[in-house]
């Protein structure tokens, strides 16, 4: 799909697709490499910006559901274009207990189809498309959910995964 300005829609991932690998810095200065998590199921959720109201609500919902997600064998990782220093402040302010990874050049977000043109307040803008991916133990996409809502999404994900 091509937009009026000549931009192409970000490719969307579908169940069964290989999850694009990444190696990114997290909020603690560590490197998170997706390949190191093989053998585990991973929830990778993309959000536009730390410390904004919607992103805070979503992160706190993941934090509050973390025990149930971990009990189901899921590892949660948040990804945004924010620098690791901002992610560390966000983690500390909201008592987040899962890694937040930094993708400042948006290459990983783009590879997942979570960066591109979207509609915001009736205008077409380019930015992070709030999305959630469940990656299976073999590194394949199990679920790819795009344009998710900040509020209520984690509860829906839990239902979709049969946790509730």
């Amino acid at each position: 799909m091509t937009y009026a300005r000549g931009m192409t829609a970000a490719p969307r991932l579908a169940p069964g697709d290989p999850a694009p690998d990444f190696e990114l810095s997290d909020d603690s200065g560590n490197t998170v490499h997706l390949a190191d998590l093989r053998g585990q199921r991973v929830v990778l959720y993309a959000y536009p910006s730390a410390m904004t109201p919607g992103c805070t609500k979503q992160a706190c919902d993941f934090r509050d559901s973390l025990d149930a997600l971990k009990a189901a064998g899921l590892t949660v990782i948040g990804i945004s274009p924010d620098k690791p220093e901002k992610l560390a402040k966000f983690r500390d302010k909201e008592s987040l207990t899962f890694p937040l990874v930094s993708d400042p050049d948006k290459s990983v977000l783009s590879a997942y189809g979570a960066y591109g043109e979207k509609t915001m307040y009736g205008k077409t803008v380019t930015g992070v498309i709030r999305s959630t991916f469940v990656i299976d133990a073999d590194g394949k996409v199990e679920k790819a959910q795009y344009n998710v809502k900040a509020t209520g999404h984690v509860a829906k994900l839990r239902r979709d995964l049969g946790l509730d």
Side-chain angles (χ1 to χ4, degrees), residues 98-133:
F98 53 86
L100 302 171
V101 296
S102 172
D103 184 23
D105 68 2
K106 304 165 195 82
S107 60
V108 175
L109 289 161
S110 295
Y112 277 81
Y115 185 81
E117 288 196 1
K118 62 182 184 175
T119 303
M120 202 162 117
Y121 305 114
K123 292 172 53 178
T124 300
V125 298
T126 301
V128 175
I129 300 162
R130 192 180 304 276
S131 308
T132 299
F133 308 92

Side-chain angles (χ1 to χ4, degrees), residues 7 41 58 64 72 128 135 139 151 164:
M7 282 196 68
R41 289 170 73 209
Q58 185 179 24
D64 296 346
V128 175
I135 302 163
T151 303
D164 290 337

Side-chain angles (χ1 to χ4, degrees), residues 20-153:
D21 196 16
F22 61 82
E23 202 169 317
L24 296 171
S25 296
D26 73 5
D27 53 317
S28 298
N30 301 313
T31 299
V32 175
H33 190 178
L34 182 61
D36 292 342
L37 299 174
R38 289 287 191 278
Q40 301 175 47
R41 289 170 73 209
V42 175
V43 173
L44 178 68
Y45 81 95
Y47 61 98
S49 184
M51 295 195 272
T52 57
C55 296
T56 298
K57 174 68 176 139
Q58 185 179 24
C60 291
D61 282 352
F62 271 111
R63 177 200 65 206
D64 296 346
S65 290
L66 200 57
D67 287 343
L69 294 167
K70 280 184 175 178
L74 292 155
T75 299
V76 174
I77 300 172
I79 182 172
S80 77
D82 297 309
K83 294 190 179 331
E85 300 77 24
K86 183 176 181 184
L87 296 175
K89 288 178 187 169
F90 186 41
R91 175 201 65 217
D92 293 345
K93 182 174 187 262
E94 302 302 335
S95 302
L96 303 176
T97 54
F98 53 86
L100 302 171
V101 296
S102 172
D103 184 23
D105 68 2
K106 304 165 195 82
S107 60
V108 175
L109 289 161
S110 295
Y112 277 81
Y115 185 81
E117 288 196 1
K118 62 182 184 175
T119 303
M120 202 162 117
Y121 305 114
K123 292 172 53 178
T124 300
V125 298
T126 301
V128 175
I129 300 162
R130 192 180 304 276
S131 308
T132 299
F133 308 92
V134 178
I135 302 163
D136 72 16
D138 296 321
K140 298 239 188 273
V141 174
E142 188 177 313
K143 291 188 181 304
Q145 301 173 331
Y146 292 95
N147 297 308
V148 301
K149 302 287 183 213
T151 303
H153 169 64

